[in-house]
Amino acid sequence: MATNPASGAPRKPARDTRQRSHPGQTLVGLTGGIASGKSVVAGMLTDCGAVVIDHDRLAHDVVDVGTPGLQAVVRRFGDGVLTPDRALNRSRLGAIIFGDARARHDLDAIIHPLVWKASDELEDRAPADAVVVHDVPLLVETGQQDDFDLVVVVDVPEPLQLRRLIARNRLSRQQALARIGAQASRAERLAAADVVIDNSGGLDATRTQVDTLWRRLTGDGH
């Protein structure tokens, strides 16, 4: 499996548009750093009429109880990453991977191919002329930029990102910095962007930017 040279994460080969099940679809890659507000933007795009495929949700589903994905995780990390009822203990696994780049790479190599398969199936089931938004936390890290017609990055300044993450996840400053450091840098994400949504202001300001993006995606507003 190829890797993204910037991060070492498993990389998905770029998809030729001729291989799409529905060539009339507009495919959007939506990403942003942790605590940037990417889920808020995804929700706004859903309200606009986009088909949003949540890769974070899929990443949970593919390691649900009894799945081959969970079995693969346990083979790599041991029973210590399980709860008493044999579900994945995400906090315990997170503590391992955020302190160990090799462990994080191994987890990505298990989960990412399963997520790509599930997301492709959902994309195939979307209407032939839909705007399909793939909400991908690690889009840049996995080198998926070329899979999409448009890459949208939700962006906030790094100090604001850090404050939001500490407050949202109740982390120490060191823990929050480790999670931010495990992702691509802000500069790397912005370099991959076709459109940047500045989410450092209020919801109304973000919604205005999303509305402008939607007009572009639907051919109204060029």
Side-chain angles (χ1 to χ4, degrees), residues 12-61:
K12 182 181 182 182
R15 173 177 44 193
D16 192 316
T17 56
R18 292 169 298 180
Q19 297 174 340
R20 295 181 184 177
S21 296
H22 303 300
Q25 289 178 345
T26 300
L27 302 184
V28 179
L30 174 67
T31 196
I34 187 170
S36 64
K38 177 174 56 62
S39 295
V40 171
V41 172
M44 291 178 180
L45 286 167
T46 299
D47 292 342
C48 287
V51 175
V52 175
I53 298 175
D54 185 344
H55 285 233
D56 196 38
R57 179 70 261 166
L58 293 178
H60 282 67
D61 292 345

Side-chain angles (χ1 to χ4, degrees), residues 11 18 32 34 49 61 66 85 95 100 112 116 119 121-122 125 128 151 164 172 175 179 203 206 209-210 220:
R11 175 169 182 159
R18 292 169 298 180
I34 187 170
D61 292 345
D85 60 358
D100 184 337
H112 288 172
W116 294 331
S119 68
E121 291 171 353
L122 291 173
R125 295 203 292 268
V151 172
R164 286 180 176 177
S172 69
Q175 289 172 323
R179 282 158 174 74
L203 286 177
T206 300
Q209 296 172 76
V210 171
D220 179 15

Side-chain angles (χ1 to χ4, degrees), residues 39-121:
S39 295
V40 171
V41 172
M44 291 178 180
L45 286 167
T46 299
D47 292 342
C48 287
V51 175
V52 175
I53 298 175
D54 185 344
H55 285 233
D56 196 38
R57 179 70 261 166
L58 293 178
H60 282 67
D61 292 345
V62 300
V63 290
D64 208 350
V65 176
T67 60
L70 181 59
Q71 294 169 12
V73 170
V74 172
R75 282 196 299 271
R76 167 59 179 84
F77 295 97
D79 286 344
V81 297
L82 294 176
T83 65
D85 60 358
R86 307 297 292 178
L88 183 62
N89 186 323
R90 299 181 187 281
S91 296
R92 189 169 297 168
L93 181 60
I96 294 171
I97 66 168
F98 284 117
D100 184 337
R102 181 71 234 180
R104 187 167 64 250
H105 177 275
D106 290 347
L107 181 65
D108 288 344
I110 293 168
I111 292 179
H112 288 172
L114 298 172
V115 171
W116 294 331
K117 182 176 185 294
S119 68
D120 285 346
E121 291 171 353

Side-chain angles (χ1 to χ4, degrees), residues 1 50 54 79 94 101 113 126 129 137-138 174 202 219:
M1 178 179 294
D54 185 344
D79 286 344
D129 60 349
L138 299 180
Q174 183 177 3

